[in-house]
Amino acid sequence: MPPKTNNDATAKDIAKLNTLDIQNATQHKTSPITGKSGSESRNKDIDRSIKPTRKKYHAYNGFNIDYQVKELQEMLRRKTNRRYIITSQQKTLIQQRLKDGFTLYDFEKTIHYLIQQKQSISVTELVINISNYLNKINSN
């Protein structure tokens, strides 16, 4: 049973991600060039960043920092198709942000936003500026 949190925003964010997931699953994506779907056009470069993951992350409990860092690293690799190495300094920054109340869902939303804006993603900048990015996301 996951730990109870008093953060209603997290529950709302999860509900929004699930709604987006259902909406994206029902849409039939076609290639603008050939008019065929991804499997028909054999287009391997389908933008998978549009669809949020359905993975359920474990909340930060003060002890599972290695899990949180590994999940963030995997999330970055999945979304950007690039290999990210998280240093010990970045790990302490991530731990501080998790203690401040941010979740892996917040990081996922921020990464998704940066990909949509076609911005490069730096782990340090992501962690330091996550509150600014989330404010931009929520204001739109």
Side-chain angles (χ1 to χ4, degrees):
M1 179 175 213
K4 292 184 178 180
T5 61
N6 293 333
N7 191 354
D8 290 335
T10 304
K12 290 178 184 176
D13 293 339
I14 293 169
K16 286 180 186 177
L17 285 174
N18 288 335
T19 303
L20 286 173
D21 189 28
I22 292 168
Q23 289 173 352
N24 287 335
T26 59
Q27 293 176 354
H28 183 71
K29 295 182 181 181
T30 59
S31 170
I33 298 170
T34 62
K36 296 180 179 180
S37 68
S39 61
E40 294 172 306
S41 64
R42 298 177 191 250
N43 185 359
K44 306 241 180 190
D45 298 325
I46 295 173
D47 187 11
R48 297 186 198 312
S49 64
I50 294 172
K51 184 177 179 183
T53 63
R54 301 192 101 221
K55 185 170 185 167
K56 300 197 184 242
Y57 301 116
H58 298 288
Y60 179 65
N61 61 10
F63 298 105
N64 63 352
I65 186 64
D66 291 329
Y67 165 80
Q68 301 288 322
V69 169
K70 181 182 171 218
E71 287 298 318
L72 179 60
Q73 191 173 18
E74 285 296 312
M75 184 188 313
L76 284 164
R77 185 193 57 75
R78 261 191 331 266
K79 300 279 187 181
T80 63
N81 290 328
R82 293 198 172 118
R83 185 171 167 222
Y84 284 86
I85 297 173
I86 297 180
T87 64
S88 60
Q89 290 176 335
Q90 292 169 336
K91 185 176 177 179
T92 56
L93 287 173
I94 293 167
Q95 187 173 18
Q96 184 60 42
R97 286 302 187 182
L98 292 170
K99 284 181 182 177
D100 291 341
F102 292 99
T103 64
L104 286 174
Y105 291 108
D106 294 330
F107 283 103
E108 185 174 20
K109 284 189 342 185
T110 304
I111 292 167
H112 179 69
Y113 171 77
L114 291 173
I115 290 171
Q116 283 183 334
Q117 299 299 317
K118 297 185 180 175
Q119 295 181 12
S120 62
I121 299 175
S122 162
V123 175
T124 305
E125 287 183 27
L126 172 69
V127 174
I128 291 173
N129 297 319
I130 189 168
S131 59
N132 296 336
Y133 291 132
L134 287 173
N135 287 337
K136 287 180 185 178
I137 292 167
N138 292 333
S139 69
N140 292 339

